[in-house]
């Protein structure tokens, strides 16, 4: 995938990998956004949710 590629571009190899293995890119993006949100909360004095992977043990 090139930096200028549109999400609507047809990528048959990627499509078949997504069918076989799941959309790792989308899942990674979602986890990164959650981590960024939780980091922001922590840096601004908010308590991170107890069910979170980032909560203190």
């Amino acid at each position: 995938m090139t930096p200028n590629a549109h999400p609507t571009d047809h990528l048959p190899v990627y499509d078949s990998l997504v069918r076989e293995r799941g959309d790792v890119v989308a899942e990674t993006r979602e986890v990164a956004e959650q981590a960024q949100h939780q980091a922001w909360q922590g840096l601004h004095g908010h308590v991170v949710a107890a069910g979170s992977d980032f909560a203190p043990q």
Side-chain angles (χ1 to χ4, degrees):
M1 209 173 189
T2 64
N4 297 333
H6 264 174
T8 57
D9 289 347
H10 183 66
L11 302 171
V13 173
Y14 182 75
D15 293 340
S16 66
L17 286 171
V18 167
R19 279 192 303 276
E20 291 174 21
R21 310 257 179 183
D23 194 344
V24 176
V25 174
E27 292 171 16
T28 302
R29 183 179 300 118
E30 183 179 333
V31 171
E33 288 171 356
Q34 289 172 356
Q36 185 177 22
H37 177 70
Q38 290 173 347
W40 184 92
Q41 287 180 319
L43 290 171
H44 289 85
H46 300 280
V47 177
V48 178
S52 167
D53 291 339
F54 298 102
Q57 304 272 325

